[in-house]
Every structure is written in C-alpha cells, then in structure tokens.
Amino acid sequence: MSHNILNKYIWILDIVERYGRISRKELSRLWLNSTVSGNEPLTRRTFYNYRNNIEDIFGIKIAYDNTTFEYYIEQDSDSGGMSEWLVNSISINGILSDASDISNRIMLEEIPSARKFLSTIVEAIKTNHKIEFSYTPFYRTGTTKHIVLEPYFLRIFKQRWYVIGYNHADKKIKTYSLDRFNEVTVLPEGFEMPEINVRDFFTNNFGIMTSNGEVKDVTLRVEQEEAKYLRALPLHHSQTEKIYDGYSLFHYKIYLTFDFVNEIISHGNRITVISPVELKTMVVDTLQNALENYK
C-alpha cells in the first residue's frame, strides 16, 4: 500500500471522528481544501471504495444514517475499546502528519518494541498459533531461549507493550514485555483460546501485574488539587469518590500489586492510604527500603 493512499484513509477517519457526524457534501468540500486530495474531487464511488478499505484494514466501520444523511464511526462494543483507541491514534497521526514543519517543537513519547515484534504476535493471536521466542528480563543477564507461549492477549501499559499467555514449561499464564524479546517465531501448532477477554482478565488489576490473592476494598485520601487529576484520569475503572472539605476519599476494588503500590507512591504526600492495613504496610515498607539508600 502506498504512503499516499494510507494518508487518504487516515484523513477521512480523522475528519469523521472529529466532526462526529458529517454529510458527504461537507466531507467533499473539506477534501478539496486538504493536501491529500491532490485537487481531485472525492467522488461517490471513490469514497465508497475508501470506506470498504478502511473497514478491511483498520476494522473500523464508517456507517451511514439514512435519516440525517450523515456518516459516523460505528463503535464496536465487543472490541474492548480498541477501535476507539485506534481511531484516536489515527486522528493524532493525521494531525501530526500535517505538522512536519514544526517537528522541532513537538516531543513525543517513545514506545519500545512496537515495530519489531508487535505485528508477528498480532498474527499469532489472530490465528491462535503458539509462538516461540527468546527473552532477556531486566532482572537477569542471561537469556532464556525456546520459550513456547500460547498468546492470549496484548496490552500496552506505561509506554510498553506486553503479551500475556500460557507458558507450557511453567504451566501457567505469564506476562512478557515485548522490548525484552530477542526474536520471535510463529509456530505451526495451534491452541484453543479460553472463554475470556483481556478486559475481564485485568478487571481487578491496576496495571500489568496479576495476583492470586483476594480483591481488596481500598480507600485513599487524596488532597483537593490531586483529586482533580484522578477525576480526569481514574486509576482504575472501579474508582468512586466522596468529596469532603479540602480532600476526597477515593474507593477501589482491586488487587494489591507492586505496580499499584508504586503508583500510590508516585503521587507523594498528596495521596494517603486509609485502608486496608496490608496496603499501608506495603507502601511503608517500600518507602523505608528506599530511604535506606540515603543513610
């Protein structure tokens, strides 16, 4: 696929997403004023072909409302939010593509490993085939070779891509960071995917870590200014809030994992654990161990 035609698909998705609903007449007007048109009109036939190609390539459907004669992006409730994330990413890509002349004034975050191994693992997940790879974790200098995994899920968290699946040698579900892969191969051997989706799998977890313990009722006291940030970007989907004079109490139902502890600590003295006692202890122990480095 040429870079030019891909830019046209991205432009159309970006416009429809930004407008919410748009008529073909208005879309055609905007098209002629854009750089991707090449001064060629967007004919009905061309737009029809582009719509089909967009759905085939991106899995995103541009639907038509017969009552208002407008086009809009149809959200798939079974996609786990991926379509919405993809639309947002494509829209941002379209905006940045037109901003190359100010690239020295825009700074983006790097996401390791996405280009090198992501497509191979996506292929394995789509066809339910096992993968074999070598892996060098941060906590070891040696490389583990010939790991065989049934890849169940992909997840991005804090600028890293992870694959989660069943490890045959260890006989359990494990998580691997793609930026620690050295190589990966899709095996001819298939597997049967369990009846679970990625959202259900992580429903009681903060980040990428899982737990065999019990889900806990967590209460955090959050200072007034910090509470605004948590309202805008909740720590977890179970988050609820009670507002008091000068502070808020945020409540969660969540596993007590190390990455959740680190998230609490990253907010400094603006967040205090009220309950449970186990979480208080985990936070205090982590802080005390950190202070030992300065004695």
Side-chain angles (χ1 to χ4, degrees):
M1 181 189 303
S2 71
H3 181 69
N4 186 46
I5 193 67
L6 185 61
N7 280 342
K8 291 178 179 179
Y9 298 159
I10 290 172
W11 183 92
I12 290 172
L13 274 172
D14 175 44
I15 291 297
V16 177
E17 194 275 335
R18 276 197 276 154
Y19 277 73
R21 287 173 171 263
I22 189 169
S23 67
R24 199 176 73 81
K25 181 179 179 181
E26 178 64 7
L27 184 67
S28 297
R29 184 188 69 79
L30 294 171
W31 170 270
L32 277 175
N33 290 330
S34 72
T35 57
V36 298
S37 69
N39 295 321
E40 294 290 332
L42 184 63
T43 65
R44 185 183 299 273
R45 183 182 182 87
T46 299
F47 178 56
Y48 179 81
N49 290 333
Y50 285 179
R51 281 176 67 200
N52 288 338
N53 293 340
I54 286 169
E55 186 170 0
D56 289 341
I57 294 168
F58 300 111
I60 299 172
K61 182 176 181 179
I62 299 178
Y64 181 67
D65 190 332
N66 288 309
T67 60
T68 63
F69 309 108
E70 293 173 320
Y71 293 91
Y72 63 96
I73 291 175
E74 185 173 88
Q75 297 297 335
D76 183 359
S77 61
D78 295 327
S79 66
M82 191 184 78
S83 292
E84 183 177 355
W85 180 86
L86 186 58
V87 169
N88 289 337
S89 298
I90 289 170
S91 297
I92 291 170
N93 185 76
I95 293 168
L96 293 179
S97 294
D98 288 335
S100 58
D101 55 334
I102 56 168
S103 60
N104 63 334
R105 298 169 64 181
I106 301 174
M107 187 172 182
L108 305 175
E109 289 187 313
E110 178 66 22
I111 299 180
S113 73
R115 292 185 302 273
K116 193 171 183 181
F117 300 115
L118 186 59
S119 61
T120 302
I121 294 174
V122 167
E123 175 192 346
I125 289 177
K126 286 174 68 175
T127 59
N128 283 342
H129 276 77
K130 298 176 184 178
I131 59 173
E132 183 177 338
F133 58 96
S134 60
Y135 192 76
T136 309
F138 285 116
Y139 55 85
R140 284 207 313 264
T141 55
T143 297
T144 302
K145 298 182 178 180
H146 307 300
I147 299 173
V148 176
L149 189 79
E150 296 179 1
Y152 291 168
F153 314 119
L154 276 167
R155 184 175 184 185
I156 189 171
F157 181 69
K158 291 190 179 294
Q159 298 175 248
R160 280 194 166 85
W161 279 98
Y162 296 87
V163 59
I164 302 96
Y166 182 76
N167 181 303
H168 278 260
D170 295 342
K171 292 183 171 55
K172 63 180 179 180
I173 295 177
K174 299 185 72 172
T175 300
Y176 297 91
S177 175
L178 266 63
D179 63 327
R180 306 314 300 158
F181 275 52
N182 301 295
E183 57 185 355
V184 61
T185 303
V186 179
L187 299 176
E189 184 181 358
F191 67 90
E192 186 174 343
M193 179 66 192
E195 291 291 330
I196 187 171
N197 60 48
V198 66
R199 183 162 292 186
D200 291 338
F201 185 80
F202 284 105
T203 188
N204 293 314
N205 296 280
F206 164 72
I208 203 64
M209 293 183 177
T210 57
S211 172
N212 293 322
E214 296 180 1
V215 175
K216 299 292 184 178
D217 291 317
V218 171
T219 301
L220 305 178
R221 174 181 167 131
V222 183
E223 299 307 310
Q224 188 175 34
E225 290 301 316
E226 194 70 12
K228 297 176 184 177
Y229 291 94
L230 296 194
R231 287 183 207 123
L233 190 63
L235 294 182
H236 189 254
H237 67 84
S238 65
Q239 177 175 297
T240 59
E241 179 188 7
K242 291 184 179 180
I243 301 174
Y244 297 89
D245 186 17
Y247 69 94
S248 289
L249 292 181
F250 283 85
H251 302 275
Y252 306 88
K253 290 186 179 294
I254 198 168
Y255 285 121
L256 307 184
T257 55
F258 183 64
D259 49 3
F260 185 52
V261 170
N262 280 343
E263 178 65 22
I264 293 171
I265 290 173
S266 72
H267 292 264
N269 63 356
R270 300 179 300 278
I271 289 183
T272 304
V273 177
I274 302 301
S275 65
V277 174
E278 302 101 296
L279 183 57
K280 279 186 180 181
T281 302
M282 292 169 72
V283 170
V284 170
D285 287 347
T286 303
L287 289 170
Q288 286 179 338
N289 290 333
L291 285 172
E292 289 296 320
N293 294 329
Y294 296 93
K295 290 183 179 179

